[in-house]
Amino acid sequence: MSKDSIAFIGLGAMGLPMARNLVKGGFAVTGFDLDANALDSLEQAGGKRAASARAAAEGAGLVIAMLPTAAHIRAALEGEGGALAALTDASLFINMSTILPQETDAIAALLAERGLRMLDSPVGRSAMEAERGTLLILASGSGPDKARAQEALLCMGNQIIDCGEVGGGSRVKVVNNFMGISLNALTAEALTLAEACGLSVELALQVMRGTIAGLGHMNITYPNKVLRGDLSAGFQVDLAHKDLGLALELASRSRACVPMGSAAYQSYTAARAQGLGAQDYSAIYPLMRSLAGLPKALPYTVDTPVNADPFGKAAAR
Ligand code: NAD
């Protein structure tokens, strides 16, 4: 089967290396960006430049967008010189930008009304992995569309996760970033607190890399407790509330600002108010599900603990 020709719209920190990797993979790539320097760089790498998104998409099999926001995608599709006019039922539009899932749904509907197809395929990891062609690709769309795009996607990434129908990729990307970005802020607070209360950051790192703080609840606490339906106290909500209170007091006395920790304290206070004080502290999860109006039964359970005693007998928390 012959390779699809590719239009690549948005040649920024991510898009340019991704387009370069498509060229390296033997695809004919025509790019468009508002920045002429980005087009120069694509040409130097063996791609072609176009004068508009529409010109790039004319006759292309795959039309890829890697743009900052949904508004930029709308402009590149529906604005003057937009690619929408060049899309046909023989082409496949692939959005790889990170946007609000409802915007993904709306763009997919806009295309579907015209008999056009779309793959929703945002990416995980960063510009360094975009350079190396080792992005994590979160592909969602119809089976035939995913199969058609696979060879091109594997030029840009080394792992494709099937995220179901269009909209699945955008949803999992935003949820993943919610956690990664929030944990970044919490990590900064913890290291700042360590330094502000007189510890060496090196010591704090050494300790926290070996406990749940650094190893992560998704890997340890959740599969061993709440996701097994076990809320018997390994570490009680009451004690977690007490310990987080100690940290907030220490932060106050050390003049460290800890907004993420303060917000988490309110969740443990709410859990105690709901009568969950004697349960395992992972009971915060069913509490949040109940506040979101989700059904009582867990949507996913694991039968076997991942590692029943991850820290050995002298468990540190
Ligand atoms: P960027 O700002 O570096 O690049 C965006 C490019 O789009 C720019 O070159 C800009 O000139 C171009 N552009 C804007 N409007 C345009 C239009 N109408 N037509 C053509 N080109 C246009 O952004 P980036 O870091 O490459 O991010 C792109 C997307 O990827 C974002 O949605 C971002 O959230 C997502 N993402 C970024 C990273 C990262 O580490 N940078 C990682 C994963 C996902």
Side-chain angles (χ1 to χ4, degrees), residues 12-66:
M14 297 293 288
L16 182 60
M18 289 161 74
R20 277 201 207 108
N21 284 329
L22 287 166
V23 173
K24 275 190 209 153
F27 285 93
V29 179
T30 304
F32 175 66
D33 196 291
L34 300 176
D35 177 358
N37 292 329
L39 292 171
D40 292 344
S41 302
L42 179 65
E43 273 190 319
Q44 281 157 20
K48 284 192 191 148
R49 70 197 297 146
S52 66
R54 179 179 180 167
E58 212 74 64
L62 306 179
V63 178
I64 300 177
M66 193 56 173

Side-chain angles (χ1 to χ4, degrees), residues 9 12-14 32-34 66-68 72 97-98 123 125-127:
I9 306 166
M14 297 293 288
F32 175 66
D33 196 291
L34 300 176
M66 193 56 173
L67 294 160
H72 293 90
S97 333
T98 304
V123 300
R125 304 180 184 144
S126 66

Side-chain angles (χ1 to χ4, degrees), residues 222-302:
Y222 277 47
N224 285 314
K225 294 296 292 179
V226 66
L227 292 178
R228 297 173 70 203
D230 175 10
L231 290 173
S232 64
F235 181 46
Q236 281 178 31
V237 165
D238 277 343
L239 289 179
H241 181 264
K242 183 259 300 178
D243 285 3
L244 192 47
L246 297 180
L248 295 185
E249 179 63 25
L250 180 65
S252 169
R253 293 185 190 209
S254 313
R255 300 187 181 181
C257 174
V258 287
M260 296 286 296
S262 303
Y265 188 69
Q266 300 306 323
S267 297
Y268 289 98
T269 302
R272 297 179 82 217
Q274 296 291 313
L276 307 179
Q279 291 193 355
D280 189 72
Y281 74 147
S282 57
I284 290 288
Y285 176 42
L287 172 64
M288 289 301 142
R289 292 186 65 252
S290 134
L291 292 175
L294 294 172
K296 206 169 164 54
L298 280 176
Y300 172 82
T301 52
V302 291

Side-chain angles (χ1 to χ4, degrees), residues 25-300:
F27 285 93
V29 179
T30 304
F32 175 66
D33 196 291
L34 300 176
D35 177 358
N37 292 329
L39 292 171
D40 292 344
S41 302
L42 179 65
E43 273 190 319
Q44 281 157 20
K48 284 192 191 148
R49 70 197 297 146
S52 66
R54 179 179 180 167
E58 212 74 64
L62 306 179
V63 178
I64 300 177
M66 193 56 173
L67 294 160
T69 68
H72 293 90
I73 298 170
R74 291 276 187 171
L77 278 174
E78 300 178 283
E80 203 185 324
L84 189 58
L87 295 177
T88 70
D89 58 6
S91 51
L92 175 63
F93 177 69
I94 308 179
N95 176 43
M96 303 191 77
S97 333
T98 304
I99 63 174
L100 192 69
Q102 283 76 7
E103 304 267 21
T104 296
D105 299 343
I107 293 168
L110 171 90
L111 297 181
E113 277 162 19
R114 291 161 176 75
L116 303 170
R117 294 196 309 283
M118 170 169 165
L119 210 60
D120 163 35
S121 195
V123 300
R125 304 180 184 144
S126 66
M128 188 177 76
E129 285 82 12
E131 292 284 350
R132 293 178 178 164
T134 55
L135 290 170
L136 177 67
I137 312 264
L138 306 171
S140 58
S142 79
D145 288 345
K146 282 184 269 206
R148 177 178 176 184
Q150 181 170 311
E151 187 186 351
L153 295 177
L154 285 174
C155 289
M156 299 179 275
N158 60 355
Q159 190 184 356
I160 299 178
I161 295 186
D162 188 339
C163 301
E165 294 299 317
V166 165
S170 290
R171 281 168 174 77
V172 75
K173 171 68 185 167
V174 171
V175 171
N176 174 73
N177 279 19
F178 164 74
M179 186 151 177
I181 293 167
S182 300
L183 286 175
N184 177 34
L186 187 60
T187 304
E189 284 180 22
L191 294 180
T192 301
L193 172 60
E195 192 177 349
C197 78
L199 283 173
S200 90
V201 171
E202 198 183 356
L203 172 63
L205 281 171
Q206 186 193 348
V207 171
M208 289 192 282
R209 279 181 176 157
T211 70
I212 206 72
L215 296 173
H217 286 279
M218 269 191 190
N219 289 320
I220 297 168
T221 328
Y222 277 47
N224 285 314
K225 294 296 292 179
V226 66
L227 292 178
R228 297 173 70 203
D230 175 10
L231 290 173
S232 64
F235 181 46
Q236 281 178 31
V237 165
D238 277 343
L239 289 179
H241 181 264
K242 183 259 300 178
D243 285 3
L244 192 47
L246 297 180
L248 295 185
E249 179 63 25
L250 180 65
S252 169
R253 293 185 190 209
S254 313
R255 300 187 181 181
C257 174
V258 287
M260 296 286 296
S262 303
Y265 188 69
Q266 300 306 323
S267 297
Y268 289 98
T269 302
R272 297 179 82 217
Q274 296 291 313
L276 307 179
Q279 291 193 355
D280 189 72
Y281 74 147
S282 57
I284 290 288
Y285 176 42
L287 172 64
M288 289 301 142
R289 292 186 65 252
S290 134
L291 292 175
L294 294 172
K296 206 169 164 54
L298 280 176
Y300 172 82

